[in-house]
Amino acid sequence: MLGKCGILPQDDVDKIKDGLHKVQGMIRRGEMEFSISDEDIHMNIEKALIDEVGPVGGKLHTGRSRNDQVATDMHLWCASGWSSSWACSASCRKP
C-alpha cells in the first residue's frame, strides 16, 4: 500500500516484500531466534528484516504505530480463529 500511494519507492517495497518472505521462511523452518531484548515480535521481525535487506527494512512500519501493528495482528489472529471455528462447526453439522 505504501508503494501504491507513492510513499515508498517500488524498489524499496520489492526489497521489503522479498525480505519478509525470507523471514517468514526462517520462522517456519524454526531458524529464527527471538530475543527479549528486541521488545516484542514486531521488533524481532523488523531486526531480522533489516539483517536480510539492510536499512530499507526499517521502513517496514512507515505510517503505522506500534498500536496499529498490534491491532492488525489481533484482527488477523481473530479472523483466522473464527475461520477455523466456523469450519469445525460446519463439519460437525454434516449428517
Side-chain angles (χ1 to χ4, degrees):
M1 175 140 154
L2 294 172
K4 289 181 183 178
C5 293
I7 296 170
L8 292 180
Q10 191 59 44
D11 186 51
D12 287 357
V13 172
D14 293 340
K15 287 178 185 175
I16 290 170
K17 286 171 65 174
D18 289 344
L20 285 172
H21 285 295
K22 290 177 182 177
V23 171
Q24 180 184 40
M26 290 169 47
I27 293 170
R28 288 187 173 165
R29 290 187 303 274
E31 299 170 356
M32 176 88 170
E33 293 186 30
F34 296 95
S35 172
I36 292 175
S37 65
D38 289 327
E39 294 183 33
D40 58 21
I41 188 71
H42 304 102
M43 290 303 296
N44 275 269
I45 289 174
E46 184 174 332
K47 182 179 180 296
L49 179 63
I50 291 170
D51 290 347
E52 192 64 43
V53 301
V56 71
K59 297 179 181 181
L60 174 66
H61 63 271
T62 299
R64 292 181 298 161
S65 69
R66 174 90 56 222
N67 288 342
D68 291 336
Q69 292 174 345
V70 172
T72 299
D73 286 348
M74 290 300 295
H75 174 79
L76 293 171
W77 181 77
C78 288
S80 174
W82 173 252
S83 178
S84 297
S85 296
W86 183 257
C88 181
S89 174
S91 68
C92 290
R93 290 188 304 229
K94 291 182 181 176

